[in-house]
Amino acid sequence: MLPLLKNEWIKLWNKKQTWIFAAAIVVIMFAITAIYYSFIEETTVPQGQNWEIALETEIAEQEEILANENEEWVLESAEQKIEENEALLAAGVDPNITNNMTFMNETLLVAASFITLFSVIAASSIVSSEIDNGTMKHLLIRPFERWQFLLAKFLTVVGFSAALFVLLVLVNLILGTLFFGAGSPSTPVMEMNFDGNNLYTTVDKVLPQKSGLYFLNLLMFIIISFSISILFKSQTLAVGIGIFILFATSISQAFTALLGETAWYKYVFLPHMDLPAYVVRDELLPGVGLGFSVGVLAVYALVFIGASTVYFQKRDLA
Amino acid sequence: MSQTVLEINELTKQLNRKNIVHNASFQMKKGEILGLLGPNGAGKTTTIRMIVGLIKKTSGKVYINGRDLDEEGRACKSEIGAIVENPAFYDHMSGYKNLEQYARMAKNTISKKRVNEVVELVKLTGAIHDKVKKYSLGMKQRLGVAQAILHEPALLILDEPTNGLDPKGIRDLRDYLRQLADNGISTLVSSHLLSEMQLMCDRVVIMEKGKIINISNIHEEEETESVAGQLVALRVADNHIGLAQEVIAGVKEVTLSQRENGSVLLLKMPYDFLPELNRRLVQGGVDVFGLESRRSTLEDKFLALTSEKSDELQKEAT
Ligand SMILES: Nc1ncnc2c1ncn2[C@@H]1O[C@H](COP(=O)(O)OP(=O)(O)OP(=O)(O)O)[C@@H](O)[C@H]1O
Ligand SMILES: [Mg+2]
């Protein structure tokens, strides 16, 4: 088994595509830093010592609005702002503090969605490209079981994704430190929750959670594209479906709002492809928590892996 | 008693209710070079694919060194080296790196020395560190031979190995297979290059439309021919045909077999009667332009046996 893994790893890094993906991660991280930097520059709210005063001033302003206005949406937004600022004050979270830790907390998963994309492409092509160019037959006549080749290839893609993630964290850390200065890992931060209470926490607590949940989803993306490329013998279809799911998950909240009521919706894997959302909320739908989501994904994963392995074990290789 | 390296027993492959290979059976002895002959689409490649386990057999058995392929697949495969149709490689990697991949998958450790030895043998030393995409067809074929023999298998299976090889390359391969055979390694080689097979093989199996229609021993046939009478072609001056026929009619050892295009007569006679015939012809006043013994070639036999005589085959055989 080890020689197969080694072979796959060597083959992977002998492909130009692999290096292009790695380079793209670096470039993308630079771009995100540039955008973030210019965005931070624009905000002129005083920083440092004065942040608590600034928040209190804002509260006072909003209270004045409350007293003088009577249009409903204005009142609502003012109330919300007051509530938020009070919570920030209570939690000791400076909303305008920016250092390499808050930077990483806010940008890591944005950049990581490109890792998902690249992993989908790698997973879709690692089996089908060898079938297409005829090298697979040279593998299958060796003294190994067919599933061992699949396992080696699957683990190689997972390893590749993990390597890209490590690269991303490193580049993110370097750029964050250069542009925003070093901060404490326990810098307090606020995580927005659009339909519930915001979460007040620290970077070192929330970021590992988010990353772990992200990685579970990434694994799922890899399993789906990998299996589809085997079952449908088509690299294009696998990449297409992978990217479709990637886009669909980014708007899955809309689906959830539309279809959340139906009995079957919670058994579809799509709404569970945004696991990092569980950082701020306990339930996706009533009765659907993290455990349920992971359970649903696990069942899908087993079905995909089982079907593709059985098929690959039996198929004729022309 | 010599050992049986490969035995196939009533091997059948059915696809879409059509028998692509039907009840094929033969055995190969240790150190034997067996040719698998047949017109395009006869089922040679399909038979080979079943032996190396790339496709499932519909029915029948394959034994390698007495082991059942179905039960001890990995043990069987570790004794086989094969080229199945056109060898394909990782184009973006060098020939050497490709070979390293296959070396790692072998059951026994393969030393660098062995790799270099094989590279030298297939005469790729100068190009082995170039990327495979720069290789010519013949160079790829040589690399294909290299990956097949790298792990010193007991059974070599080569599907059209001479495809794309230049005359020197074909000759080298032939010599090498003979050398391997002397060391007890058996080779199953498929081709429709008939003259080539005649020089290369000990025995040939002739297939047509999925069935084995003949198995014959090449060297035995040559012997029986020389006893029973050999085919001799006599070429005389155009206007001496009649005269020559008269002379021949008067010699009881020689029988006229057929008149070939214009001034060539095909005769059947004992080989050692040739000088005497020549003398009689000259005495009879016939201008002799050529007198040569003609072995009945594998081609004659092949074409007689197989009903389909496509132009292509005949062209290739000459
Ligand atoms: N996957 C397939 N599906 C249907 N028919 C097939 C398939 N593969 C091969 N065949 C048919 O099986 C027959 C035998 O094919 P095979 O490749 O074994 O012939 P071959 O003897 O190797 O011919 P060639 O000399 O051209 O290499 C052909 O008629 C071919 O059309
Ligand atoms: Mg063939």
Side-chain angles (χ1 to χ4, degrees):
Chain A
M1 196 60 214
L2 224 56
L4 296 188
L5 267 172
K6 191 172 174 193
N7 273 353
E8 290 303 327
W9 194 248
I10 291 171
K11 281 188 276 186
L12 181 76
W13 289 101
N14 264 289
K15 272 190 199 168
K16 258 202 202 106
Q17 192 193 55
T18 310
W19 292 97
I20 292 173
F21 286 168
I25 290 297
V26 177
V27 171
I28 287 163
M29 205 50 243
F30 265 95
I32 289 176
T33 311
I35 294 166
Y36 195 88
Y37 189 75
S38 61
F39 173 75
I40 289 296
E41 286 289 87
E42 275 168 25
T43 57
T44 47
V45 184
Q47 291 198 15
Q49 292 293 316
N50 299 323
W51 68 272
E52 285 173 309
I53 299 167
L55 283 179
E56 274 162 7
T57 322
E58 214 176 13
I59 291 175
E61 279 168 18
Q62 299 296 324
E63 273 170 349
E64 216 160 285
I65 293 174
L66 269 185
N68 300 331
E69 294 277 342
N70 44 17
E71 236 178 296
E72 203 170 313
W73 68 269
V74 179
L75 294 178
E76 214 167 88
S77 111
E79 260 169 24
Q80 210 177 327
K81 191 81 201 159
I82 292 168
E83 222 172 89
E84 197 181 298
N85 282 3
E86 276 170 353
L88 285 170
L89 282 168
V93 177
D94 176 358
N96 294 309
I97 197 169
T98 304
N99 58 39
N100 58 358
M101 288 297 131
T102 60
F103 173 71
M104 188 185 287
N105 186 44
E106 281 173 44
T107 57
L108 196 65
L109 291 202
V110 178
S113 58
F114 287 93
I115 295 184
T116 312
L117 177 68
F118 298 158
S119 304
V120 162
I121 295 172
S124 304
S125 60
I126 197 162
V127 175
S128 47
S129 69
E130 287 220 32
I131 293 177
D132 291 348
N133 65 28
T135 47
M136 187 60 89
K137 65 188 176 203
H138 283 306
L139 298 184
L140 300 193
I141 60 174
R142 310 284 151 180
F144 292 91
E145 301 293 336
R146 289 187 178 188
W147 61 262
Q148 290 180 300
F149 290 104
L150 286 190
L151 182 61
K153 284 178 181 295
F154 178 76
L155 292 178
T156 300
V157 177
V158 175
F160 168 63
S161 306
L164 284 189
F165 195 77
V166 170
L167 174 72
L168 174 63
V169 170
L170 287 178
V171 177
N172 189 300
L173 197 63
I174 292 168
L175 292 178
T177 312
L178 283 178
F179 284 84
F180 310 107
S184 159
S186 56
T187 307
V189 286
M190 181 195 76
E191 291 286 331
M192 293 275 267
N193 182 3
F194 292 106
D195 35 30
N197 292 328
N198 292 339
L199 175 74
Y200 299 91
T201 176
T202 57
V203 174
D204 59 350
K205 271 192 203 135
V206 74
L207 192 55
Q209 280 177 25
K210 278 202 270 189
S211 304
L213 292 171
Y214 161 79
F215 220 82
L216 282 185
N217 276 153
L218 178 61
L219 210 56
M220 208 53 211
F221 273 106
I222 294 173
I223 289 171
I224 292 172
S225 345
F226 189 76
S227 304
I228 287 178
S229 77
I230 294 167
L231 287 170
F232 296 94
K233 305 181 196 171
S234 165
Q235 184 177 341
T236 341
L237 187 71
V239 174
I241 290 180
I243 291 174
F244 171 77
I245 297 171
L246 194 57
F247 276 112
T249 47
S250 67
I251 52 165
S252 72
Q253 264 142 357
F255 285 116
T256 309
L258 268 171
L259 302 165
E261 303 282 295
T262 57
W264 50 266
Y265 185 67
K266 61 181 174 188
Y267 300 111
V268 180
F269 70 88
L270 201 61
H272 308 291
M273 293 300 274
D274 188 22
L275 290 179
Y278 279 111
V279 164
V280 291
R281 47 158 72 168
D282 292 332
E283 290 189 333
L284 180 74
L285 291 164
V288 178
L290 180 60
F292 186 89
S293 285
V294 172
V296 169
L297 291 183
V299 171
Y300 275 96
L302 285 179
V303 169
F304 272 116
I305 291 172
S308 54
T309 309
V310 167
Y311 175 72
F312 192 73
Q313 283 282 111
K314 295 202 165 155
R315 75 164 284 192
D316 280 354
L317 199 97
Chain B
M1 212 188 78
S2 54
Q3 205 184 326
T4 303
V5 174
L6 170 70
E7 177 182 351
I8 68 170
N9 204 342
E10 313 237 299
L11 212 52
T12 299
K13 179 69 184 180
Q14 209 171 45
L15 269 177
N16 307 326
R17 296 220 193 132
K18 210 180 123 212
N19 281 330
I20 290 172
V21 173
H22 187 65
N23 282 346
S25 306
F26 62 79
Q27 296 189 346
M28 270 178 81
K29 288 193 282 290
K30 190 171 179 211
E32 185 179 36
I33 303 179
L34 181 71
L36 193 55
L37 262 177
N40 291 124
K44 306 181 293 291
T45 302
T46 308
T47 305
I48 288 175
R49 283 204 185 110
M50 284 191 278
I51 297 172
V52 297
L54 283 177
I55 63 177
K56 296 271 174 291
K57 334 186 259 308
T58 305
S59 65
K61 283 284 180 191
V62 174
Y63 299 96
I64 287 153
N65 274 335
R67 291 197 184 100
D68 188 336
L69 181 71
D70 295 326
E71 275 150 33
E72 296 173 85
R74 287 166 72 173
C76 287
K77 284 181 186 176
S78 67
E79 309 211 32
I80 300 179
I83 299 183
V84 183
E85 285 194 319
N86 309 316
F89 297 96
Y90 306 108
D91 285 350
H92 47 275
M93 284 163 51
S94 71
Y96 194 83
K97 279 189 176 175
N98 270 278
L99 287 182
E100 279 181 331
Q101 289 269 325
Y102 299 116
R104 267 182 226 111
M105 287 188 277
K107 219 172 172 196
N108 311 321
T109 345
I110 292 175
S111 63
K112 269 207 163 65
K113 191 168 151 275
R114 170 69 188 162
V115 179
N116 290 327
E117 199 179 290
V118 170
V119 169
E120 196 140 316
L121 198 90
V122 298
K123 304 211 164 54
L124 275 177
T125 315
I128 199 66
H129 292 289
D130 293 345
K131 290 192 171 171
V132 173
K133 65 177 162 210
K134 291 190 193 158
Y135 283 19
S136 69
L137 178 62
M139 287 161 85
K140 280 187 193 167
Q141 198 66 255
R142 285 161 195 261
L143 193 59
V145 173
Q147 64 77 33
I149 60 179
L150 192 60
H151 54 296
E152 299 175 78
L155 172 63
L156 254 183
I157 299 180
L158 307 175
D159 193 6
E160 318 225 3
T162 52
N163 215 350
L165 287 187
D166 56 23
K168 177 79 167 56
I170 294 179
R171 202 213 160 98
D172 288 345
L173 178 68
R174 191 165 71 217
D175 292 346
Y176 182 62
L177 292 186
R178 186 51 63 196
Q179 195 186 318
L180 288 179
D182 292 342
N183 289 320
I185 292 170
S186 322
T187 307
L188 174 65
V189 50
S190 99
S191 176
H192 31 225
L193 277 177
L194 298 155
S195 49
E196 201 39 64
M197 296 291 265
Q198 189 161 28
L199 288 170
M200 205 182 268
C201 305
D202 301 319
R203 279 195 308 153
V204 289
V205 169
I206 300 183
M207 280 189 95
E208 198 205 2
K209 293 183 182 151
K211 288 185 184 152
I212 290 179
I213 53 173
N214 185 278
I215 300 181
S216 51
N217 194 318
I218 286 181
H219 303 299
E220 246 170 41
E221 231 155 70
E222 281 167 11
E223 279 163 30
T224 48
E225 262 172 17
S226 62
V227 177
Q230 187 123 19
L231 218 51
V232 170
L234 169 66
R235 181 186 290 274
V236 297
D238 284 350
N239 52 352
H240 285 178
I241 284 278
L243 202 56
Q245 275 170 329
E246 267 172 43
V247 174
I248 288 158
V251 186
K252 67 175 188 326
E253 287 89 348
V254 184
T255 48
L256 181 63
S257 138
Q258 126 192 37
R259 187 174 162 180
E260 218 178 51
N261 49 5
S263 50
V264 177
L265 296 172
L266 280 181
L267 313 171
K268 223 171 179 140
M269 57 188 269
Y271 187 62
D272 43 17
F273 195 74
L274 261 181
E276 181 58 26
L277 174 67
N278 186 31
R279 208 169 297 130
R280 300 251 182 121
L281 286 166
V282 175
Q283 279 167 4
V286 181
D287 289 352
V288 178
F289 279 79
L291 189 59
E292 54 176 6
S293 89
R294 238 192 226 178
R295 283 183 183 158
S296 95
T297 57
L298 194 54
E299 181 188 355
D300 299 328
K301 180 163 182 143
F302 179 77
L303 293 179
L305 281 166
T306 59
S307 47
E308 281 181 15
K309 305 175 193 179
S310 68
D311 292 338
E312 197 185 67
L313 271 178
Q314 289 185 339
K315 217 186 296 158
E316 267 176 22
T318 48

